Amino acid sequence: TITLGGKLSPDGSWRGGERYELIQFHFHHRSEHKIDNVDYPMELHLVHEQVENSAKLAVIGVMIEEGAENVHIKKFWDHLPRPSGHSDGGHDEVPSPSHLLSPLNLIPRGGDYFQYQGSLTTPPCTENVYWTVMQKPITFSKGQIKAFSMLFPKNSRNEQKAFNRLIRRYSNPGN
């Protein structure tokens, strides 16, 4: 659950604001956002729906760069389907979908982030999406990126112009 808007009360609790629940997450091979004109091999989108109005969405975008193996995604990645045409000598295993993954482990701690009103990046590209894009990337190993890119060689939307959108940059010291 995330809360957007509202204010901090004198007792230190958050009051007001709109509550959003995570409904799904997915990856794109190449990133759909550029930060300082740099695109990344992959991008993660955590899609949230407003509790009181499911037509309102909030998406957290996380850039993924090549680096150390991501231990949080490892077990999940080990069970990606094989690309078509892959053969292991006639054995067709069906991967088990029973792996727990906490999305909180895929959001970088600290660093700046950007927010703007936009749209979904997949058809029908519906407006009314509140975007939060983390500047600090997470890492996947070369092998983890390759495994996904073999399944999805290009599943990203081309870069869009900002048009008249106000893009705000915030600083988050993190923990």
Side-chain angles (χ1 to χ4, degrees):
T1 301
I2 60 173
T3 303
L4 296 175
K7 60 184 175 181
L8 195 60
S9 67
D11 69 358
S13 61
W14 197 257
R15 300 278 187 235
E18 302 169 335
R19 288 187 52 234
Y20 289 76
E21 296 285 334
L22 180 67
I23 57 171
Q24 60 112 318
F25 67 92
H26 59 269
F27 299 89
H28 291 279
H29 173 253
R30 300 250 9 129
S31 64
E32 295 186 318
H33 289 90
K34 288 185 178 182
I35 299 177
D36 295 329
N37 212 30
V38 174
D39 79 332
Y40 291 81
M42 291 181 64
E43 183 173 341
L44 162 66
H45 289 167
L46 298 127
V47 182
H48 298 76
E49 183 177 86
Q50 190 185 63
V51 172
E52 294 190 20
N53 179 358
S54 62
K56 289 187 172 183
L57 300 174
V59 180
I60 299 172
V62 179
M63 302 303 111
I64 300 169
E65 68 182 359
E66 186 178 316
E69 179 178 65
N70 190 301
V71 297
H72 303 292
I73 202 78
K74 184 177 177 5
K75 282 187 181 179
F76 184 77
W77 233 238
D78 286 346
H79 295 284
L80 285 174
R82 292 187 197 117
S84 61
H86 179 82
S87 174
D88 65 354
H91 300 285
D92 292 323
E93 293 182 38
V94 176
S96 168
S98 61
H99 296 283
L100 296 177
L101 174 66
S102 172
L104 288 175
N105 291 327
L106 298 176
I107 299 175
R109 304 290 183 251
D112 291 357
Y113 60 96
F114 305 88
Q115 291 187 318
Y116 67 95
Q117 288 284 351
S119 67
L120 292 175
T121 64
T122 55
C125 300
T126 308
E127 294 284 334
N128 208 23
V129 178
Y130 192 80
W131 279 92
T132 300
V133 179
M134 309 304 290
Q135 180 175 358
K136 183 178 179 182
I138 59 173
T139 62
F140 279 20
S141 69
K142 184 176 186 173
Q144 288 172 319
I145 292 170
K146 183 178 179 184
F148 187 84
S149 67
M150 287 178 66
L151 289 171
F152 303 99
K154 170 123 176 47
N155 73 333
S156 60
R157 183 180 185 187
N158 292 330
E159 180 182 9
Q160 304 294 302
K161 293 186 184 302
F163 296 106
N164 291 325
R165 289 186 169 92
L166 175 63
I167 301 173
R168 292 186 172 106
R169 183 180 193 151
Y170 297 92
S171 182
N172 176 17
N175 50 8

